[in-house]
């Protein structure tokens, strides 16, 4: 199976957590050893947001602010690449072509941001589209998709399974309300819906949940 793993920057990098990164490195290697083709996309976490704030303080435009965050996510990705050693491709791909070439060499891809104006969710969806992935699993700081932001609303209900259209509607309804729980960004959802890539959102603090997702077990939220 071709698997895209979206590693929450919130999980491994807010603050940076060596043991968590190590667990992900082991998980990615295990996937490969089981015969899967693997690409991971790491988010920039709170450090990226801090850099965006500093860039704003320096009066840099949005594109340059985004570049600051992209570099942070790539730095995180580089730690994974170093941890993977020979199993990885040695560098962090900065284009979809490089990502695909790395995968074609039988190596584990780990990348961060691609270009300004998107999130790493969208990067993961674009990589999924490019390599014709079978599954995207996001290890998030929430254990699935809820009807509302579970950290703000105690009556938020977890959804075990939903269709991409339902997810898009969930965003639409809440678009103008504060505290929208965008566990996957809407642009990424649009791409995932177009290519019909099965997507799962699981609690990323325990990599066993990502293993369950790859095994096709019920965990987190599955979007089809
Ligand atoms: P992230 O995707 O890293 O943040 O993008 P996130 O969604 O909070 O993910 P986690 O929780 O850290 O995993 C942070 C910001 O970096 C810029 C955008 O401004 C984005 O909102 N960015 C990131 C880009 O402009 N392009 C990219 O390809 C990636």
């Amino acid at each position: 199976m071709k698997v895209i793993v979206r590693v929450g920057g919130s999980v491994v990098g807010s603050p940076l957590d060596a043991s968590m990164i190590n667990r992900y490195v082991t998980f990615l290697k295990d996937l490969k050893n089981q015969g899967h083709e693997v690409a991971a996309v790491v988010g920039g976490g709170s450090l990226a947001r801090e850099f965006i704030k500093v860039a704003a303080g320096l009066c840099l435009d949005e594109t340059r602010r985004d570049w600051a965050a992209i570099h942070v996510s790539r730095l995180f990705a580089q730690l994974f690449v170093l941890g993977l050693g020979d199993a990885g491709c040695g560098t962090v791909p900065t284009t979809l072509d490089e990502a695909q070439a790395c995968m074609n060499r039988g190596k584990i891809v780990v990348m961060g941001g691609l270009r300004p104006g998107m999130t790493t969710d969208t990067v993961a969806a674009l990589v999924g589209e490019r390599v014709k992935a079978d599954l995207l699993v996001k290890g998030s700081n929430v254990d699935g998709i809820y009807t509302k932001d579970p950290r703000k609303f105690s009556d938020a209900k977890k959804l075990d399974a939903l269709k991409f259209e339902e997810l898009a509607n969930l965003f639409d309804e809440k678009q103008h309300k504060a505290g929208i729980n965008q566990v996957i960004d809407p642009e990424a959802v649009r791409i995932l819906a177009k290519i019909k890539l099965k997507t799962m959102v699981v609690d990323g603090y325990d990599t066993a949940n990502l293993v369950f997702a790859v095994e096709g077990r019920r965990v987190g939220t599955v979007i089809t």
Side-chain angles (χ1 to χ4, degrees):
M1 205 157 74
K2 274 185 191 159
V3 185
I4 311 296
V5 180
R6 167 71 175 90
V7 184
S10 48
V11 175
V12 294
S14 309
L16 262 176
D17 182 339
S19 65
M20 190 60 84
I21 293 177
N22 208 21
R23 266 175 264 164
Y24 270 91
V25 165
T26 303
F27 161 67
L28 296 174
K29 280 186 181 168
D30 287 347
L31 276 188
K32 182 172 177 283
N33 290 337
Q34 288 159 13
H36 300 294
E37 292 178 78
V38 191
V41 181
V42 190
S46 58
L47 191 61
R49 283 183 280 278
E50 247 177 81
F51 267 71
I52 288 175
K53 244 191 255 165
V54 172
L58 294 172
C59 298
L60 300 178
D61 61 25
E62 216 155 295
T63 301
R64 288 180 177 84
R65 291 179 210 177
D66 279 352
W67 273 117
I70 291 167
H71 287 301
V72 171
S73 63
R74 287 180 180 170
L75 201 52
F76 287 178
Q78 184 64 42
L79 284 174
F80 279 70
V81 170
L82 291 170
L84 285 168
D86 278 350
C89 32
T91 55
V92 175
T94 56
T95 64
L96 292 175
D97 285 346
E98 284 174 15
Q100 187 165 33
C102 169
M103 197 181 238
N104 289 349
R105 277 168 46 217
K107 303 289 184 182
I108 299 169
V109 178
V110 185
M111 56 198 296
L114 260 187
R115 52 178 178 265
M118 59 173 65
T119 65
T120 42
D121 284 343
T122 299
V123 174
L126 290 172
V127 176
E129 181 177 34
R130 171 59 74 95
V131 305
K132 298 191 170 52
D134 304 292
L135 174 71
L136 187 154
V137 55
K138 177 171 185 174
S140 183
N141 61 356
V142 284
D143 64 352
I145 295 177
Y146 285 74
T147 49
K148 310 177 195 180
D149 189 338
R151 280 164 296 197
K152 291 185 182 136
F153 301 94
S154 56
D155 62 339
K157 287 193 178 56
K158 189 174 151 213
L159 302 161
D160 291 332
L162 71 160
K163 299 274 170 211
F164 281 111
E165 307 82 72
E166 293 172 307
L167 183 56
N169 290 340
L170 215 61
F171 290 146
D172 284 344
E173 278 169 28
K174 309 229 160 46
Q175 200 153 254
H176 303 294
K177 293 182 196 162
I180 168 174
N181 172 33
Q182 287 191 351
V183 61
I184 303 188
D185 101 79
E187 174 61 14
V189 170
R190 200 186 56 74
I191 298 165
L192 295 168
K194 187 185 77 183
I195 61 174
K196 298 187 172 59
L197 175 54
K198 178 181 175 185
T199 300
M200 296 180 78
V201 177
V202 303
D203 175 354
Y205 290 104
D206 185 351
T207 50
N209 292 318
L210 290 99
V211 174
F212 294 154
V214 175
E215 288 173 348
R217 293 210 242 165
R218 278 187 84 102
V219 62
T221 299
V222 59
I223 314 143
T224 51

